[in-house]
Amino acid sequence: MRVLVTGGAGYIGSHTVLALLELGHIPVVVDNLSNSSIESLNRVSEITGKPIEFHNIDLCDERALSSFMREQSFDAILHFAGYKAVGESVADPLKYYENNIGSTVSLLKAINASTSTAPPKVIFSSSATVYGSSTEHPLTESSKTGEGITNP
């Protein structure tokens, strides 16, 4: 299975790329390296002995992303390219809206424009911080959100 991993050079993304490679899938990474490092992918490649296809693209750059997507075909997309620092998101919410929502909309538009058949399945990653300090474990999508969340 060919899988696009946005934000694939970050912590969660690079660990996912490693797992995908170990399962025999073909990950393709798109990351602008604004909050990550290519070194994480170099290490994954070293561990697995397999090359990783990497594209330095900012998902908010609709033109670059659309051009890339027109040339590609994916079975699934794992979208990990969101900002995640809670304190910073409260201090500068527009930066987070522009990136987290903007990049997602840009990605969905690019998928729509590039796919003549059924689009690939998309998994959008969020942060467990939306659940606050919940004592319920494991957390599920139906878990209550906002428990114990305070503004920094």
Side-chain angles (χ1 to χ4, degrees):
M1 181 171 14
R2 191 167 154 82
V3 181
L4 176 62
V5 183
T6 68
Y11 181 80
I12 300 293
S14 63
H15 282 76
T16 301
V17 167
L18 174 62
L20 289 167
L21 286 167
E22 289 175 339
L23 291 169
H25 300 297
I26 303 166
V28 175
V29 173
V30 167
D31 199 308
N32 68 2
L33 302 176
S34 68
N35 198 16
S36 59
S37 170
I38 193 68
E39 186 57 33
S40 62
L41 295 177
N42 292 339
R43 289 181 184 159
V44 170
S45 187
E46 232 176 79
I47 290 167
T48 62
K50 298 175 183 176
I52 299 166
E53 185 178 337
F54 171 77
H55 300 270
N56 189 334
I57 299 172
D58 184 332
L59 293 185
C60 291
D61 182 344
E62 287 189 33
R63 179 175 286 158
L65 184 59
S66 290
S67 176
F68 167 78
M69 291 296 289
R70 278 192 301 275
E71 300 168 0
Q72 304 288 326
S73 176
F74 299 104
D75 300 298
I77 298 173
L78 304 175
H79 182 34
F80 299 136
Y83 294 153
K84 64 197 175 309
V86 175
E88 184 183 56
S89 73
V90 172
D92 193 358
L94 289 180
K95 174 182 175 181
Y96 276 67
Y97 294 143
E98 287 173 346
N99 183 75
N100 295 2
I101 295 170
S103 68
T104 302
V105 169
S106 180
L107 178 61
L108 295 173
K109 283 181 179 179
I111 293 166
N112 191 48
S114 67
T115 308
S116 59
T117 60
K121 298 208 181 299
V122 177
I123 295 176
F124 175 77
S125 173
S126 183
S127 169
T129 58
V130 299
Y131 299 108
S133 56
S134 175
T135 57
E136 175 188 340
H137 294 288
L139 294 169
T140 67
E141 290 183 357
S142 61
S143 297
K144 186 175 179 184
T145 59
E147 283 291 309
I149 294 177
T150 59
N151 288 335

